Amino acid sequence: MLLLGALLSLITGGTGLALPLVTRSLIGGLAHHRSVSAALLGMSALVVANAAIGALGSYVLRRTAESVVLGARRTLSSYLLRLRVSAVDGSEPGDLMARVTSDTTLLREVTTESLVGLGTGGLTLVATLVMMGVVDPVLLGVTVGVLGGAATVIGVIVPRINRASRQAQDAVGAMGASLERVLGALRTVKASGAEHREERAVHDAAERSWRESVRAAKWSAAAGNTAGLALQIAFITVLAVGGARVATGAIDVGTLIAFLLYVFYLMSPIQEVVGAVTQYQAGAAALARIQEALRLPAEPAAEPAPLPEPGARPAAVVFDDVRFRYADDLPYVHHGVSFAVPALGMTAFVGPSGAGKTTLFSLIERFYDPTSGRITVDGRDLADWPLPELRSAIGYVEQDAPVLSGSLRDNLLLGNPGADEAELTRVLKTTRLDGLVARLPKGLDTLVGHRGTKLSGGERQRVAIARALLRRPRLLLLDEATSQLDAVNEAALRDTVTEVARATTVLVVAHRLSTVTTADRIVVMDAGRVRAVGTHRELVTRDPLYAELAATQFLASG
């Protein structure tokens, strides 16, 4: 489609190039009192063809440009959804969103006004110069001399446009990151009275983008005006030199008029080429930012794996001397963690804050890979599992139980869109969400708001648990899944988890004694190491740290 659009643009330029020749023929016919009907008809046909083909070429190019933007947005958004969690941790979500929205829009200019404009404008410029050489080589030399000086000046300006455009796009990304940061914690910002400080940060980024965009506009205007000035100087010079040549009889008036028409005609391709070069600088800056995002580490694209069938065998998990840290410049979170979780039953992980309990679940889900050591599920190294197959076997409830914008039904079926109504009803009853659904104005189709703001913390937690249970997991990971529940709902959910543990493997990070006492085994962690494994009764008498946690953190007597 780009080639078709470029071809139509070239045909448009070709019809335009023929007009001065027809004009010279028309003037020659009038001067010699010949019939000019054919010349007039030819000129009319060229004008109409020029307009029609030009309009068609413009439409083809613009449609193609929009298709390029669509393709870039699809590619980039798909890639960002597959980024490694470590890559997302080191990036600003607002800046990544700006690359999908703002930066991809600039590709439209690269496609139509830059690449095609440079090609068609450049070819038209060369063709025009050739025709000018055919008409009069001397005047062509004068014209090229003037334009060469202008090209030198523009060559100095172009890199400055690129730098300013890149900095402007970076500032747009920073503004998006600042705004996303504020909106993601708006209640905290308001409660802290920090609106004005955060507003200043967003405004500063917007002003940086404005300053750099103005700088890019200044240099673009300088480049455009340099080209325009060069054409005016060329016209005056050609008029002076051409007039002298007419006076000496070297050329006739018709030749001078035809050449001057070509000088006027030069304006369009030169402006097209200069515009293409300056537009490309902004597009190249955006393209560099897009390519930057596409170089971030990502998981391999793969088709989703089917979920386990009802009654599928539970999974077994083994950690063997696992060491892990989030980055090379950060301390280790795990220092040789080893434990074995047999298939079936509930295993609880307890320990002080920062002991590395939540990180265990991130490693099992392969959000991160261990620095050394080995993790197996069903005796198979995690590195050997295809990611979709591994994650399809796991149900995971995060510590903050995130809920996505949309309806309650959308959130519940996020991990299993094919779940039938009977299964959904059963899980709603199991997690005590049926009462909430009955109270909501539109039931399951009620919108829950951005990040589930229309639900309470306990309701969001139960939604997250229901979502995980609907996946029929062979391995269920619960990270402090009852921390925001009241006593009644916690007791009900504890019974539910105990029931689930009779059919699958459940790993739970727990801070409450009621959850721990029902566990088949408890893994006590401290400072990134496993210090003890046993039942509640065994550990209370055998491990001082656990006894202290049971007496204080779990709010129970020794």
Side-chain angles (χ1 to χ4, degrees):
M1 294 301 289
L2 275 177
L3 287 173
L4 175 60
L7 179 62
L8 291 171
S9 296
L10 284 174
I11 293 172
T12 304
T15 56
L17 283 174
L19 280 172
L21 295 178
V22 175
T23 303
R24 184 169 69 170
S25 173
L26 182 65
I27 292 172
L30 290 171
H32 294 89
H33 305 290
R34 293 196 303 266
S35 172
V36 294
S37 302
L40 283 172
L41 283 173
M43 184 177 288
S44 301
L46 284 172
V47 168
V48 172
N50 186 275
I53 297 172
L56 179 60
S58 176
Y59 166 74
V60 169
L61 288 176
R62 288 182 180 276
R63 188 179 188 281
T64 305
E66 294 298 340
S67 300
V68 168
V69 173
L70 173 62
R73 284 176 175 164
R74 281 176 169 170
T75 299
L76 187 55
S77 57
S78 296
Y79 191 84
L80 293 181
L81 287 172
R82 289 174 174 80
L83 284 182
R84 296 298 304 260
V85 173
S86 56
V88 178
D89 289 344
S91 307
E92 292 284 356
D95 181 53
L96 294 177
M97 286 190 286
R99 296 177 196 234
V100 177
T101 54
S102 172
D103 291 343
T104 53
T105 301
L106 291 176
L107 293 182
R108 182 187 300 120
E109 296 173 1
V110 174
T111 306
T112 52
E113 298 180 31
S114 297
L115 297 180
V116 174
L118 190 62
T120 58
L123 288 173
T124 305
L125 177 60
V126 171
T128 305
L129 292 173
V130 169
M131 297 300 292
M132 293 170 82
V134 170
V135 173
D136 190 72
V138 175
L139 294 180
L140 172 64
V142 172
T143 305
V144 170
V146 174
L147 296 181
T152 303
V153 175
I154 292 171
V156 173
I157 292 173
V158 162
R160 301 171 188 268
I161 299 173
N162 182 281
R163 282 196 300 272
S165 298
R166 175 61 190 262
Q167 289 165 357
Q169 287 305 110
D170 285 343
V172 169
M175 182 180 66
S178 298
L179 198 56
E180 193 273 340
R181 170 177 172 269
V182 174
L183 294 178
L186 192 58
R187 287 174 173 78
T188 302
V189 170
K190 287 182 178 295
S192 304
E195 294 99 328
H196 292 296
R197 291 196 299 278
E198 297 298 333
E199 179 184 56
R200 188 69 256 159
V202 176
H203 287 186
D204 285 347
E207 286 169 13
R208 282 200 306 276
S209 176
W210 173 80
R211 280 196 302 272
E212 298 302 333
S213 295
V214 168
R215 185 174 294 142
K218 176 183 71 177
W219 290 116
S220 296
N225 282 317
T226 298
L229 178 63
L231 283 170
Q232 292 176 26
I233 294 172
F235 176 77
I236 294 170
T237 307
V238 166
L239 190 59
V241 175
R245 285 173 63 74
V246 170
T248 60
I251 57 173
D252 57 29
V253 175
T255 299
L256 177 59
I257 292 173
F259 198 92
L260 287 172
L261 285 174
Y262 276 124
V263 172
F264 275 119
Y265 195 76
L266 271 179
M267 187 174 296
S268 177
I270 285 178
Q271 286 181 338
E272 197 172 2
V273 169
V274 172
V277 171
T278 54
Q279 292 277 4
Y280 180 78
Q281 302 312 307
L287 190 59
R289 282 171 47 82
I290 291 170
Q291 289 171 335
E292 230 174 52
L294 291 173
R295 284 194 293 269
L296 292 172
E299 297 168 350
E303 291 297 317
L307 295 176
E309 293 296 325
R313 63 183 178 82
V317 179
V318 175
F319 273 59
D320 183 13
D321 195 28
V322 171
R323 290 170 57 84
F324 173 74
R325 57 181 173 180
Y326 284 99
D328 292 340
D329 56 345
L330 293 177
Y332 278 93
V333 178
H334 291 153
H335 304 271
V337 170
S338 297
F339 62 84
V341 176
L344 208 64
M346 179 163 66
T347 300
F349 295 86
V350 301
S353 179
K357 304 182 297 295
T358 295
T359 304
L360 294 174
F361 289 0
S362 294
L363 291 173
I364 292 171
E365 282 274 11
R366 281 202 68 194
F367 297 149
Y368 306 94
D369 291 324
T371 308
S372 64
R374 188 166 178 260
I375 305 172
T376 64
V377 172
D378 291 339
R380 184 181 179 186
D381 196 304
L382 283 190
D384 298 331
W385 280 82
L387 279 176
E389 186 181 339
L390 172 69
R391 290 175 183 163
S392 70
I394 301 173
Y396 180 35
V397 179
E398 298 176 59
Q399 196 167 3
D400 55 354
V403 173
L404 281 66
S405 176
S407 70
L408 181 57
R409 185 189 300 274
D410 292 338
N411 274 279
L412 291 168
L413 298 180
L414 184 68
N416 183 10
D420 56 33
E421 286 298 319
E423 195 171 5
L424 186 58
T425 302
R426 178 180 58 78
V427 170
L428 287 174
K429 190 172 293 185
T430 298
T431 53
R432 292 206 170 188
L433 280 171
D434 49 346
L436 170 66
V437 173
R439 291 195 307 274
L440 292 174
K442 294 184 180 178
L444 286 172
D445 296 316
T446 302
L447 299 179
V448 297
H450 178 61
R451 298 188 179 180
T453 51
K454 295 182 181 178
L455 302 176
S456 70
E459 287 166 347
R460 287 198 297 272
Q461 212 153 33
R462 279 182 280 157
V463 168
I465 294 168
R467 184 168 57 208
L469 291 177
L470 278 168
R471 287 173 64 79
R472 303 188 294 268
R474 297 174 51 226
L475 174 63
L476 180 61
L477 309 178
L478 303 175
D479 191 355
E480 298 187 47
T482 61
S483 60
Q484 298 188 55
L485 297 180
D486 55 57
V488 174
N489 281 309
E490 185 202 347
L493 197 61
R494 184 183 66 237
D495 295 341
T496 298
V497 172
T498 303
E499 184 67 29
V500 170
R502 293 195 182 104
T504 191
T505 307
V506 179
L507 307 187
V508 55
V509 171
H511 281 169
R512 293 192 181 181
L513 188 64
S514 57
T515 305
V516 172
T517 53
T518 58
D520 297 294
R521 71 198 58 79
I522 301 166
V523 178
V524 184
M525 296 190 67
D526 184 27
R529 290 183 172 87
V530 174
R531 57 177 289 148
V533 179
T535 64
H536 171 68
R537 187 179 297 276
E538 292 168 348
L539 292 172
V540 164
T541 58
R542 196 176 73 198
D543 186 71
L545 174 62
Y546 182 81
E548 182 184 349
L549 290 171
T552 56
Q553 194 169 345
F554 293 133
L555 303 179
S557 65

